Each structure stands twice: as C-alpha cells, then as structure tokens.
Amino acid sequence: MYRKAEDFLADWAASSAGTLAVMKAITDDKMNVAIVEGHSSLGWLAWHLVGSGGGFGHFAGLNIPMIPRDLEVPSTMAEIVAKYEEVIAAYNNEAKNLSDEQLAEEIKGFMGPTKRGQFLRHFIDHQTHHRGQMTVLLRQAGLPVPPVAGPTKEMK
C-alpha cells in the first residue's frame, strides 16, 4: 500500500517505463500474436493496459484519459503507444497531488472498499501481470524482449 505520493510515483515511473518499452517492441505485423487462437493478443493486451489505466484512475478519483470499453484495438502500435504515453503523463500529473490522507482514504474498488494507496498498488500489479504476458508473447513472436527487470537473452 502506498502511503506517500512519491512512493507511488517512483514505482509508476519504473513500471510504466518498462511497459512502454515492451509496447514499443511490438511490431504492427505481430499485434495479433496470441499464445493460442482466440486468446489475448499482443495488441489487445497493450490496448487493455491503456484502457485499464483510465479505469483504475477513475476509481482512484484521478483525471486519467478513458477509452470506451467497446472501442476496437487500433491498427498500429504507434496509436496505442501514443495513448499509453497520455496515461503516463496523466498519472504523473494527478498522483503528485495526492495527500497522505487521500492515500489512506477508502474508495470503492473493484472488490469493495479499498484504501486508495492499496488500490494504486493493485494497479501497478495488474500492469506488471499483463506486461509479463506480453514479454512471453514477444518471445513467441520472434521479437526481441527489452530489459524490464534485468537482462534478457538478447543482452547475453
């Protein structure tokens, strides 16, 4: 649970930078790669992180750009990356204003009342989970995996 805005912002900076690097490693021709037919693809996962950034922000009481749930995945990674960069900037701008009291305040989370600081931790964990899925799919697609939490095969 985050008790200080600067603690969330530090984790967000590292997490969003890693996610952005993974998104930038996805080529347009590999956006539809999925572990199995009909499962979440690289493009879908990247777009989901854009959308969920807005959703988590909304529940946390932050002004983060939202996309309609039924909006189709864009046809290029450049479009997804641009929207994700908007989400990054919005969190950087909005979260710096959170007080210690606001982080300890209970909000309506996805699974009931949750402290805002705990909810923001769940947001980071959610992004990390899907970024991990994308790194596996990058490897499956034959694309290089950027270093997010340490060296990758390409660096050896």
Side-chain angles (χ1 to χ4, degrees), residues 35 94 113 127 144 146:
I35 195 82
E94 290 285 309
Q127 178 170 259

Side-chain angles (χ1 to χ4, degrees), residues 66-125:
M66 302 260 309
I67 57 170
R69 288 185 67 116
D70 59 349
L71 192 63
E72 292 289 323
V73 175
S75 59
T76 69
M77 281 308 300
E79 294 171 84
I80 295 173
V81 165
K83 287 293 185 189
Y84 185 70
E85 288 173 332
E86 290 177 19
V87 169
I88 292 171
Y91 270 99
N92 289 339
N93 185 54
E94 290 285 309
K96 69 183 176 191
N97 299 317
L98 288 171
S99 68
D100 299 352
E101 294 78 20
Q102 287 173 308
L103 288 167
E105 182 181 45
E106 282 201 347
I107 60 170
K108 181 184 176 188
F110 298 120
M111 299 179 33
T114 307
K115 292 185 179 184
R116 184 176 280 112
Q118 183 178 12
F119 189 75
L120 289 171
R121 179 69 242 177
H122 182 63
F123 168 55
I124 297 287
D125 291 344

Side-chain angles (χ1 to χ4, degrees), residues 2 4 7-9 11 48 50 52-53 66 68 77 82 96 107 119 122 140 143 145:
Y2 297 108
K4 300 277 184 195
D7 293 339
F8 167 73
L9 287 167
D11 278 358
H48 172 67
V50 172
S52 63
M66 302 260 309
M77 281 308 300
K96 69 183 176 191
I107 60 170
F119 189 75
H122 182 63
Q140 181 178 313
L143 296 170
V145 177

